[in-house]
Amino acid sequence: MNEAAFIELCEGKNAPMPLLAVQAFVNTLDVEDGTDLLESVETFQKFLDDTDQVAPGFEVEEHHLPLAHELRDALRDSLAANSSVEPDPKATARLVAGARTLTIELQPDEHGNLALDLSPVDSFDRFASQLLAIAFQSQIEGTWERLKLCENPDCRWAFYDSSRNKSGSWCRMGLCGNRLKNRAYRERHRSTA
């Protein structure tokens, strides 16, 4: 996994590795400008190659695209539960249904403890398994609740909330936070005028 490529894709407020891989995957959809890195076989392949998540020879196929979209949407909806964005109640069920068919691979770490195998994958199922395993590990470690979606409905960028009290709401206060605060201010003053 190429941490530098993940950092570049996430543009700040980055989760620690390996959760950063989930954050980057969720951020393959930029709601604000309409960019979707899962739009085509070529763009999805480029994302996987640039982030060193696939073994040489793995090629994205057309039937992988709807599966990738479903996985990304389910992860995004699960992240909504970590912020005040209204979550899709079916998100967890969709993740569980998808996880039932996947295999998580483990390997010993440098201390002899079991750890997730985060080596490059050779199939879409292994890629999906790896992301879900990272999410699960993050939930156990208590870092999952810090990965949130920006509360600006025009943005919904995934960001890592490193604030002490876990109260972060926006991916960028200077941009999304100010936009929402200004919008609320105008609405309050419009209603009193």
Side-chain angles (χ1 to χ4, degrees), residues 2-191:
N2 183 339
E3 185 173 2
F6 289 138
I7 289 170
E8 186 176 324
L9 284 167
C10 291
E11 301 174 0
K13 291 195 177 180
N14 299 324
M17 283 296 285
L19 186 55
L20 182 58
V22 174
Q23 181 182 6
F25 180 68
V26 168
N27 284 341
T28 57
L29 176 63
D30 189 330
V31 173
E32 197 165 28
D33 71 11
T35 304
D36 185 353
L37 300 181
L38 305 181
E39 179 177 53
S40 68
V41 168
E42 295 77 23
T43 58
F44 186 22
Q45 185 74 52
K46 182 172 176 11
F47 166 75
L48 293 173
D49 290 342
D50 288 351
T51 56
D52 296 333
Q53 294 183 80
V54 293
F58 172 79
E59 292 191 22
V60 173
E61 298 176 13
E62 195 68 36
H63 73 277
H64 293 144
L65 293 177
L67 299 171
H69 288 150
E70 177 69 21
L71 177 60
R72 180 182 62 196
D73 292 346
L75 286 167
R76 280 179 90 75
D77 289 342
S78 292
L79 293 182
N82 295 341
S83 56
S84 66
V85 176
E86 187 64 33
D88 178 350
K90 298 176 187 171
T92 303
R94 287 179 12 221
L95 284 175
V96 168
R100 284 195 173 123
T101 62
L102 303 176
T103 303
I104 308 253
E105 295 193 21
L106 303 172
Q107 65 182 11
D109 66 11
E110 64 274 2
H111 306 292
N113 298 315
L114 290 177
L116 296 178
D117 180 0
L118 299 176
S119 58
V121 299
D122 57 3
S123 72
F124 180 82
D125 284 349
R126 288 255 306 115
F127 169 73
S129 296
Q130 200 172 71
L131 286 180
L132 291 176
I134 292 167
F136 178 67
Q137 178 181 344
S138 172
Q139 290 172 358
I140 292 169
E141 293 171 347
T143 55
W144 180 255
E145 63 195 21
R146 290 185 174 277
L147 191 57
K148 301 178 177 183
L149 291 181
C150 181
E151 291 185 22
N152 180 351
D154 298 328
C155 179
R156 292 186 44 94
W157 193 253
F159 71 97
Y160 191 75
D161 179 6
S162 58
S163 67
R164 183 175 292 164
N165 61 358
K166 303 176 192 169
S167 64
S169 300
W170 304 290
C171 63
R172 294 171 296 245
M173 177 57 192
L175 186 61
C176 289
N178 283 341
R179 282 182 185 166
L180 289 179
K181 288 180 177 190
N182 288 335
R183 188 179 303 158
Y185 175 81
R186 285 192 302 273
E187 288 173 9
R188 279 193 310 271
H189 288 281
R190 219 178 274 142
S191 64

